Amino acid sequence: MDSIVKKLSEIESAASAIVEHAEAQKQALDHEYLEKRNRFDADLEAKTSKKIKEIQDDLADKTQALLKAQVGGRNDTIAALEKEYGERHTWYAQTILKRITEV
């Protein structure tokens, strides 16, 4: 009977050792998983921030180019209108006066 109790005690001790070892491995794996997750999150955050910055810079460049093109087009239009007015202002004045006096 003592041998059975002794054997059961050894089995219980072995089982306890296995459970303790499993708990220790679980804690190590949890710690490793947490570190990997934190590294992944940090890497993803860095990549996302970099991509957002690239998109914002590209958008700013395109906006500046569009504004320059619009300003250039506006200046060309104003110059053309001023030139036409300079060349034909007398004709415009005469046409307006003629319309007013015909009524």
Side-chain angles (χ1 to χ4, degrees):
M1 189 68 152
D2 285 338
S3 66
I4 293 174
V5 172
K6 187 177 179 182
K7 197 65 161 167
L8 287 174
S9 179
E10 288 175 7
I11 291 171
E12 179 69 26
S13 295
S16 294
I18 290 171
V19 169
E20 287 176 15
H21 180 68
E23 285 294 324
Q25 283 183 326
K26 181 182 176 283
Q27 287 179 356
L29 288 173
D30 285 346
H31 182 67
E32 182 181 339
Y33 171 75
L34 182 62
E35 286 180 359
K36 284 183 180 181
R37 188 184 73 195
N38 289 341
R39 274 196 312 269
F40 175 79
D41 288 347
D43 290 345
L44 184 61
E45 179 69 28
K47 287 177 184 176
T48 302
S49 295
K50 181 180 176 186
K51 188 66 176 175
I52 289 172
K53 175 95 170 84
E54 288 173 2
I55 291 170
Q56 287 175 333
D57 291 346
D58 184 50
L59 182 60
D61 291 345
K62 287 179 180 178
T63 302
Q64 285 293 0
L66 181 61
L67 288 174
K68 282 183 181 180
Q70 287 178 345
V71 167
R74 183 187 70 216
N75 289 342
D76 292 345
T77 302
I78 290 172
L81 289 172
E82 286 176 346
K83 179 181 177 197
E84 182 179 346
Y85 177 77
E87 294 172 354
R88 301 184 67 189
H89 70 281
T90 303
W91 179 82
Y92 287 135
Q94 289 173 349
T95 303
I96 291 170
L97 183 61
K98 183 178 177 184
R99 284 187 183 174
I100 289 173
T101 57
E102 284 180 353
V103 174

